[in-house]
Amino acid sequence: MAESKPETSMPGGNRFTIEGHGEPLAIGPLLAQILAPLASLKVTVVTFALAIFLIFAGTLAQVDQDIWVVMGEYFRTPIAKIPVQIFVPRSIPLSGWFYFPGGFTIGSVMLANLLAAHALRFKPQARGGRLLAGLGLITLGVLMTWLVVASGSNKSGIEGEPLINWNTLWQICKWGLFALWLGDVASLIASFVSPNTEKPQTIKRWTLSGFGLLLGGLVGALIYYGNDAALSGPSMRILWQLMKGGFAGLVLLAGCVLLFRKRAGIVLLHAGVGLMMLNELIVYGLHVEGIMQIREGQTVNYVQDIRSLELAIVDSSDAEHDDVVAIPLSRLKDASEKVISDPALPFDVELVKFLQNADLRSARSGEKNLADAGQGVTLAVDEARPSSGTDMGGGVDMSAAYVKFVNKETSQSLGTHLLGLYPALAHEQVAVEDKNYHVELRFKRDYKPYAIHLIDVRFDKYMGTNTPRNYSSDVRLIDPSRHEDRQVKIWMNNPLRYAGETFY
């Protein structure tokens, strides 16, 4: 007969027990009082409701703002400042705004709620050797998960040097499915032969029969069609990553079963949610996205960030290399620093006017012109609506600025130039004594120790459609610092991975 035991009681009337074998474990009363409100299901519901509203507001805000601006002001911030105008048609002008918890705040509370709930309700239900074995398997699973992630973004990339020949891996998958089908058939037969009549077998038999028919049909088709049914190289790369991740997940699940018994699946699922939240923080803090624009036959050694601007001053007097000084737009727009003076600059710089998005046109006779030098004498810009997240194709703002350059020694103006992202405004020169400097408003550049030379690019479509059939580039990777000089092909789902960076 089963023996019942009294629950462990603590001062203050709180009782916390753990289901399973052995004596119930008590959590300290102070820690329990702190965690209990945070672990409440009410907190979970409220944070989910706040997250849904924030996503709704952020979606509406993209009517007026670029998606990356919305990401920064709504989701990647502790506090969001939400204007009332986004909730009504723009034909009804409304002023005012209100503060709302941002994505970082809501995410942090969600994570704390998850951890607190586990601390109170998901205690290990194992002792001795079972506990050690469970901890060991979870540790091994975590290590394997890390290796899976690392192997998918290494220097060479799995697509360049696969650990297993794709044909061999495909045969393993195919015969593995066949073995799984045999196991299903064996289980179905056992359900008829087994003398166990305590539990109804009908549902189990129907489930095994349906699964066996589907799996048997798939295996039969794969065997019948042979190599014609095999997946392509890029698809096999994805399958290989999924197989490694699935195996690591099984190891983690085995460890959770030893520690948490019937709650193992919930614990592992919640751990996966926490990992995704952690990944968002890692992406925000460490990952940088950029564009390397290259024409056929051109070699480029920098990546551009189309969400950030800088004013570049280039000295090309040296035949071997250019000396470049870049001023971030944020510093140019800093109201506390009207005139930027720096020892690295050949002259002082003053931002007269900045336009986030501009339309370029010819200057009209008699109109007031802020520019008195360069192309700005004959060209002008009109302020345009900034691109938003709802624009077709995701437009990029063609920014422009009127910038005044001042002689450091005499404080005399060297001219006010119109600079911008339009090609017509990209060739401005400022003279200081007998030296000319090239000045340009451009996307922020990140220079690399290597260069990419574009040999050829192809974009083939299926006949009569806009569906891409072949979208690929042949490039030459040149890196003297690593003695690297090789030709690489980049195509859909098969990027180039090099020096910790990925090129699609």
Side-chain angles (χ1 to χ4, degrees), residues 169-496:
L169 180 62
W170 177 247
Q171 296 301 324
I172 292 174
C173 293
K174 187 164 59 175
W175 294 109
L177 290 174
F178 180 71
L180 184 61
W181 176 73
L182 289 179
D184 178 86
V185 172
S187 298
L188 181 60
I189 295 174
S191 69
F192 287 98
V193 177
S194 174
N196 182 14
T197 58
E198 295 181 2
K199 296 182 180 180
Q201 300 288 310
T202 305
I203 296 178
K204 178 180 179 181
R205 290 168 183 169
W206 277 108
T207 302
L208 290 173
S209 298
F211 183 70
L213 287 174
L214 292 175
L215 192 58
L218 175 61
V219 171
L222 293 178
I223 295 176
Y224 177 78
Y225 288 103
N227 292 332
D228 292 337
L231 298 177
S232 62
S235 299
M236 289 301 300
R237 176 179 61 85
I238 297 173
L239 177 62
W240 174 237
Q241 284 293 104
L242 291 174
M243 290 175 62
K244 292 189 295 182
F247 186 71
L250 289 176
V251 174
L252 287 170
L253 181 61
C256 289
V257 168
L258 289 175
L259 290 184
F260 302 102
R261 298 181 184 273
K262 293 182 179 181
R263 292 187 173 185
I266 299 177
V267 172
L268 187 59
L269 180 63
H270 286 180
V273 173
L275 182 61
M276 288 191 295
M277 297 172 69
L278 178 62
N279 176 72
E280 170 60 20
L281 290 177
I282 294 175
V283 170
Y284 169 72
L286 300 179
H287 289 200
V288 178
E289 182 178 317
I291 293 178
M292 182 175 277
Q293 294 180 326
I294 318 175
R295 296 189 301 271
E296 285 190 0
Q298 184 184 20
T299 303
V300 171
N301 67 335
Y302 59 84
V303 175
Q304 299 179 97
D305 182 358
I306 62 173
R307 298 183 295 273
S308 301
L309 296 173
E310 64 184 12
L311 173 64
I313 297 94
V314 184
D315 179 6
S316 302
S317 58
D318 193 311
E320 297 295 328
H321 65 275
D322 293 340
D323 291 325
V324 182
V325 179
I327 306 174
L329 178 64
S330 57
R331 184 176 178 185
L332 282 174
K333 296 171 65 175
D334 188 357
S336 64
E337 194 174 10
K338 183 174 177 58
V339 178
I340 297 178
S341 181
D342 193 280
L345 293 172
F347 36 66
D348 294 336
V349 178
E350 178 184 349
L351 178 64
V352 178
K353 185 179 181 180
F354 174 75
L355 295 83
Q356 178 61 40
N357 196 18
D359 292 327
L360 184 66
R361 61 174 175 81
S362 299
R364 302 186 184 97
S365 177
E367 73 173 331
K368 182 180 179 181
N369 195 339
L370 296 177
D372 57 17
Q375 295 293 329
V377 176
T378 57
L379 297 175
V381 289
D382 295 321
E383 191 165 6
R385 181 183 69 85
S387 300
S388 67
T390 57
D391 289 342
M392 292 296 294
V396 177
D397 289 334
M398 299 299 290
S399 302
Y402 289 93
V403 182
K404 182 179 181 180
F405 301 95
V406 181
N407 189 297
K408 282 177 173 285
E409 297 180 358
T410 64
S411 298
Q412 295 296 315
S413 173
L414 300 174
T416 299
H417 292 251
L418 173 59
L419 309 177
L421 298 179
Y422 288 98
L425 304 177
H427 305 285
E428 296 293 289
Q429 301 283 334
V430 176
V432 180
E433 297 178 353
D434 60 345
K435 181 180 290 189
N436 287 327
Y437 294 88
H438 172 70
V439 293
E440 179 183 7
L441 183 69
R442 67 189 190 188
F443 294 125
K444 180 182 177 182
R445 292 183 181 181
D446 180 16
Y447 287 91
K448 303 297 179 180
Y450 54 84
I452 302 290
H453 175 81
L454 180 58
I455 300 172
D456 185 33
V457 60
R458 291 175 300 278
F459 183 24
D460 303 324
K461 303 177 182 178
Y462 286 101
M463 185 177 298
T465 71
N466 289 322
T467 305
R469 181 174 61 88
N470 174 39
Y471 194 22
S472 61
S473 300
D474 291 324
V475 302
R476 180 184 172 196
L477 174 64
I478 308 166
D479 187 353
S481 64
R482 295 182 175 89
H483 307 289
E484 195 81 55
D485 190 344
R486 57 188 169 99
Q487 186 170 325
V488 183
K489 181 179 180 180
I490 304 173
W491 69 96
M492 291 186 295
N493 297 325
N494 205 18
L496 163 66

